[in-house]
Amino acid sequence: MKRIGMLTSGGDCQALNAAMRGVVKGLSNNVDELEVYGFYDGYKGLIYGKYRLLTAADFSGILTKGGTILGSSRQPFKLMRVPDENGLDKVEAMKQTYYKLNLDCLVILGGNGTQKTANLLREEGLNIIHLPKTIDNDIYGTDVTFGFQSAINIAAEAIDCIHTTAASHNRVFIVEVMGHKVGWLTLYAGIAAGADIILLPEIPYDIDKVTEAIQKRTNAGKGFTILAVAEGAISKEDAQLTKKEYKKKLEKSPYPSVSYEVAERIREKTGTEVRVAVPGHTQRGGSPCPYDRVLCSRLGAAAAQAILEEDYGYMIAMINNKTTRVPLGDVAGKLKTVEPDSQIIKEAKTMGISFGD
Amino acid sequence: MKRIGMLTSGGDCQALNAAMRGVVKGLSNNVDELEVYGFYDGYKGLIYGKYRLLTAADFSGILTKGGTILGSSRQPFKLMRVPDENGLDKVEAMKQTYYKLNLDCLVILGGNGTQKTANLLREEGLNIIHLPKTIDNDIYGTDVTFGFQSAINIAAEAIDCIHTTAASHNRVFIVEVMGHKVGWLTLYAGIAAGADIILLPEIPYDIDKVTEAIQKRTNAGKGFTILAVAEGAISKEDAQLTKKEYKKKLEKSPYPSVSYEVAERIREKTGTEVRVAVPGHTQRGGSPCPYDRVLCSRLGAAAAQAILEEDYGYMIAMINNKTTRVPLGDVAGKLKTVEPDSQIIKEAKTMGISFGD
Amino acid sequence: MKRIGMLTSGGDCQALNAAMRGVVKGLSNNVDELEVYGFYDGYKGLIYGKYRLLTAADFSGILTKGGTILGSSRQPFKLMRVPDENGLDKVEAMKQTYYKLNLDCLVILGGNGTQKTANLLREEGLNIIHLPKTIDNDIYGTDVTFGFQSAINIAAEAIDCIHTTAASHNRVFIVEVMGHKVGWLTLYAGIAAGADIILLPEIPYDIDKVTEAIQKRTNAGKGFTILAVAEGAISKEDAQLTKKEYKKKLEKSPYPSVSYEVAERIREKTGTEVRVAVPGHTQRGGSPCPYDRVLCSRLGAAAAQAILEEDYGYMIAMINNKTTRVPLGDVAGKLKTVEPDSQIIKEAKTMGISFGD
Amino acid sequence: MKRIGMLTSGGDCQALNAAMRGVVKGLSNNVDELEVYGFYDGYKGLIYGKYRLLTAADFSGILTKGGTILGSSRQPFKLMRVPDENGLDKVEAMKQTYYKLNLDCLVILGGNGTQKTANLLREEGLNIIHLPKTIDNDIYGTDVTFGFQSAINIAAEAIDCIHTTAASHNRVFIVEVMGHKVGWLTLYAGIAAGADIILLPEIPYDIDKVTEAIQKRTNAGKGFTILAVAEGAISKEDAQLTKKEYKKKLEKSPYPSVSYEVAERIREKTGTEVRVAVPGHTQRGGSPCPYDRVLCSRLGAAAAQAILEEDYGYMIAMINNKTTRVPLGDVAGKLKTVEPDSQIIKEAKTMGISFGD
């Protein structure tokens, strides 16, 4: 007999359901009795005791279903220790829910912020297993997160579509790819779809280098240029600002997002009109791709195995294609960013891709 | 022996190459000798004599290829009679190119604007066949245009993706669909993907009806709402303005597009945050879907048949699933819009879809 | 207040769920109270009284879901008047279930066989609405059936995939497309994916014409040839046989399906190895395409409208892009086949596609 | 100045063009002058001096193009030392072509057989770089081969499609997945698409265990079962035979492939009809997925880097997400198979997947 709780927290992504199915399949095939409590809308459900006893039917057919059957919400880590508007101690409330339900373990699916709260609950004595979810691939301690490959597929397909129209009209196009803090998604989608210029948060760009790269293509007889620009792309000048100054600058910006500013600056320098496409939240929606479904099935099964062994306090990571138990305390709060001089960046530059640096 | 010219004009879309392949396959299988001159970048190539003699290799493997192998550009009809910056008479120049190459016929692929110039050239005595291309499906005289179904697929897939994330987070989402003047694409993509509210240029919306529809869903326990909003959606108040006044209003608008304004107005009225996704030009890119490939193969073959019969001056239309020669003079300059009281709109309303009216 | 029954019968296809959702959305938005009884596994559920009262939750999120939430089974029309193994009068049993539940109407989704039984029930006095489902597109009285376009997409994508491998290896490939009696699916998928030779049940093939067509391509320097062959493709000789004789011949055939025989005959005549791909039942699975989702939403809403008007006894058809009530008695038992001298066949031939005739 | 030759050999797969583009982009951005000779149809082109000087235009737009622009053919390694029908010494002929063209290096894209010949040429003194291509993922010394993930996507999508139809009809279905010698593709596609039973060449199956697994599902109220069966799946009894005996048995088999035999054996034991779908060669066709495009861009750039450094004799592998030069002599002739007690197999079993063992 096992009694587990489960929640999905933070921005949703593909394959959350596939991962939960993996855990439950892994457990139900190996214990006599299993009770799975699903908390609604992330930590909110745990804090306020909103949950449902899930049945086998809940997990049937969800391998390919996007979103999360439990719902999600963002509950910032830094507010976890702050009482809610009614004075409720959230951490205490979560512990009470946990103990009241007499859970063996709480399985938490989420990204960096979620992980920090998961670690806090671990420190408070709860049995925790964390599964690394995010389209951003920025979780430290795992080679890859689920959602990442599915999001690459959507972003790359968007760039593919733009490719044919850009080529037909000899235009410069920006496709804005999700990622405020890290550029993994933009980097991979950009390489996958043959972007000519890729701008990442980790590699501040020089607008002159960007226009040079466009000009070089024009000189070579290539009439169009495609830029994959991360939401968090930043110019060299802005990278000199403090975080506070930059935030203020963004708030005052007349542009809905950074891409529009890049577009305008290119237009100013070159006289070329630049069009912007913003696939936006589509990047975290839709069915998970087979890569993510295998990944989540494996992570889920490995999580089940840890629970069966009553070995708690880990993120289940994928390292060198092996599922691995990584102590939550070792990784919580750390971010995995793109190294500007990493092998993949060098390879991209070898192929002639400009990063504007 | 046949000697034909070919050009693609206006905003590009899927299946332009498939249509050209259809024409050329249809001719090459039925004449001893065939010369196909491809004009670059739409009418520009015809005006300035920029073209290339195309070979069989040019048409190999392009059935599934997006964009146009000839390139395209927008050449407004109203400027056709205006000399260019060097004083060149464009219409005369096009006729000279045509006669110099001793063409039997000019095959022109394009939308409404393109069609008007095609008709002008017909009136000037050239042999013209027009193929109705546009993702907007707004060409009068044909049931359907090519590009339309492919664009529906992309827009619907975007809404599908948004669906899972909207449901997971109980959010209100707007997906902006292409279409400044007509709402066919938004209507079909919206119905296909289960949008709850659809705003079209042809049916001015009342913001109160929009928020009522959202509220009705909330009351029914449905935590999320998806709006498919055409680029040219317009409020009842704005629909009272003259075209000039409205254009001025748009220019002064702080919003990058109409969707952002709708989002802001919903937020003001309901306090609910509304997110906007703008797939943009992706909707006219990528591989044509099988529907469009069949459509274009048939239109292309029918165009070839007309050329073989030396029967010119038509748009090749699809009417009741039959390819049909429609006299260009009968349709040029007419727009096919969504009728607010048409059967499909009534059906959508029967299903509970709100048009904000 | 409305009380309706619903069942899906025969081979399943895409968009069955979308169609049922359309009916239910159309009704629930327009009556105070609605009871929907879902019968399991087609007529079987109606005969044996196996059903469930469906709730709104059953119809949530099923617009894009393949298969049928009710299950299906094949119940041959010719056995309907034959008592079952326990002597049960099936028709009487169906009527009793209908009356016991006090239904206003029975909504039946299915193909040709299903339609015949639906008509029988109508003749027996039940209120029937039929929705034309089948990937085969062979239902008389409607321009198109749902499932057809989704199946085209899958079959065409399979041929697309084969295309790249055939071209790389200069091989002759057969892709077997579903369709024992009619060739619509093979015809459309074949044209969509650029098949060079298309063999249909309606156009018996001469193997010498087939090999000539291959040879013609080889002579023209094209190293590969792709054949789209319907499951029911038949040679000119076999077309001379009586149905009985042909059935016997097939039973004795060493080939798992007709395609393998065509492959072998080509190999014998030309010495060329021919590879066969059989996507099989994948063609009726997976998510419905946006085209089918719009079609089903419209048919469903129109069905609801008829029910609201208490106007029964129809197939809801799509004719010239209008939903139309077609009297079941006028169409039941009729098959819509590909006319060998129809416009689309002529267009395909104009493009150089061989039908082996 | 660099002068390189390039060839693609063996069964084609997705992303061959993407990989060649990567090499050429990597070189052309880093040398003053570059000559790329493309040999037609694999080693055949090298043996018989059939090649073409490739230009930048050849590599434009091929990132997403399936197949290989050079063509391919199977040239068995064991025949390489055997003179051809005209007495030509093939190895000597390849060397002569290489020296005549004064190549700096020969870039060879292919699988296991191709690799052996590549190594032979290396031993003969030629400068060789090998890129690991195959949908089978069976090349020793690299974590992953290109084509693998694209093929998984196609096979998994086929199983997904079968899923909806199997569930609707409560049927047992077999999807036959490519892979005669190794089961990677079946394993990954099977897990990705939620197959209940997976049969691999590496894990001989006991038919009684297979039917038990089906029965267990039936007992649990699950009416359908999906088997992913590799082309090379083998029963425990047959695994006892010598290779020769088994080959003979297969030749005499009345079944077109192993799946049909498994289907028949299940039917015999359980009385349940089992349907078989064979996506076949579609699994190696179509556009490469974004994963494979990133992989090939990186491998191509890394190959270019090795050529720039004049460091030859390697397979460019992907190990722990790093491109790595692996000496050809260390890996040629070795096969990477699925270990029956590997972590991923255990995880699959934890989830309740049966391997029939």
Side-chain angles (χ1 to χ4, degrees), chain C residues 106-160:
Chain C
L106 189 59
V107 179
I108 296 173
L109 298 87
N112 277 304
T114 301
Q115 195 187 49
K116 282 190 271 185
T117 299
N119 190 44
L120 184 158
L121 294 175
R122 181 191 64 82
E123 289 167 348
E124 291 284 327
L126 307 195
N127 295 331
I128 303 291
I129 292 290
H130 170 244
L131 294 176
K133 162 241 81 160
T134 167
I135 62 168
D136 292 327
N137 195 33
D138 60 353
I139 298 182
Y140 186 86
T142 184
D143 289 354
V144 70
T145 60
F146 57 89
F148 180 49
Q149 188 64 48
S150 297
I152 291 171
N153 289 0
I154 295 174
E157 204 175 322
I159 304 178
D160 285 348

Side-chain angles (χ1 to χ4, degrees), chain B residues 76-96:
Chain B
F77 171 70
K78 59 182 176 189
L79 296 180
M80 277 298 172
R81 289 292 191 191
V82 180
D84 79 356
E85 59 276 20
N86 299 315
L88 184 77
D89 181 328
K90 293 173 200 160
V91 176
E92 213 45 50
M94 290 193 281
K95 287 164 69 175
Q96 279 176 25

Side-chain angles (χ1 to χ4, degrees), chain A residues 139-191:
Chain A
I139 298 182
Y140 187 87
T142 184
D143 288 353
V144 69
T145 60
F146 58 90
F148 181 48
Q149 188 64 48
S150 297
I152 291 171
N153 289 1
I154 295 174
E157 205 175 321
I159 304 177
D160 285 347
C161 282
I162 293 295
H163 228 110
T164 61
T165 192
S168 299
H169 287 277
N170 282 330
R171 278 180 182 150
V172 177
F173 257 103
I174 289 176
V175 180
E176 184 176 290
V177 180
M178 278 196 155
H180 281 288
K181 292 186 192 159
V182 299
W184 293 109
L185 183 53
T186 310
L187 177 62
Y188 274 71
I191 294 176

Side-chain angles (χ1 to χ4, degrees), chain A residues 176-349:
Chain A
E176 184 176 290
V177 180
M178 278 196 155
H180 281 288
K181 292 186 192 159
V182 299
W184 293 109
L185 183 53
T186 310
L187 177 62
Y188 274 71
I191 294 176
D196 307 298
I197 300 170
I198 297 176
L199 304 185
L200 308 178
E202 293 94 335
I203 306 179
Y205 67 86
D206 177 340
I207 194 69
D208 290 327
K209 301 279 177 151
V210 171
T211 53
E212 258 170 46
I214 296 172
Q215 195 56 50
K216 198 177 152 196
R217 280 183 62 82
T218 311
N219 294 348
K222 289 161 189 162
F224 69 97
T225 298
I226 299 202
L227 295 89
V229 175
E231 286 173 327
I234 189 166
S235 68
K236 291 209 162 160
E237 309 92 80
D238 285 346
Q240 306 294 329
L241 303 177
T242 63
K243 272 197 180 178
K244 221 178 188 172
E245 289 169 336
Y246 184 53
K247 208 180 157 189
K248 211 174 265 179
K249 196 191 150 179
L250 280 183
E251 279 164 12
K252 286 189 193 160
S253 165
Y255 306 107
S257 65
V258 163
S259 296
Y260 289 93
E261 188 184 342
V262 175
E264 179 57 19
R265 293 187 71 187
I266 294 173
R267 201 195 55 72
E268 278 170 11
K269 291 224 166 248
T270 64
T272 309
E273 206 186 329
V274 179
R275 300 193 180 223
V276 178
V278 187
H281 279 71
T282 62
Q283 292 164 80
R284 50 177 75 251
S287 287
C289 67
Y291 180 96
D292 273 335
R293 294 193 238 154
V294 172
L295 175 60
C296 282
S297 298
R298 295 189 62 188
L299 293 177
Q305 196 55 46
I307 294 168
L308 291 169
E309 296 173 18
E310 302 184 10
D311 189 22
Y312 303 118
Y314 301 105
M315 165 173 74
I316 308 297
M318 187 63 77
I319 301 179
N320 297 345
N321 206 24
K322 295 263 181 301
T323 56
T324 308
R325 297 173 196 170
V326 174
L328 263 174
D330 292 359
V331 293
K334 296 183 185 168
L335 204 68
K336 184 178 69 180
T337 57
V338 178
E339 294 290 331
D341 59 350
S342 57
Q343 193 194 46
I344 187 170
I345 295 288
K346 283 180 192 159
E347 286 159 350
K349 288 184 174 176

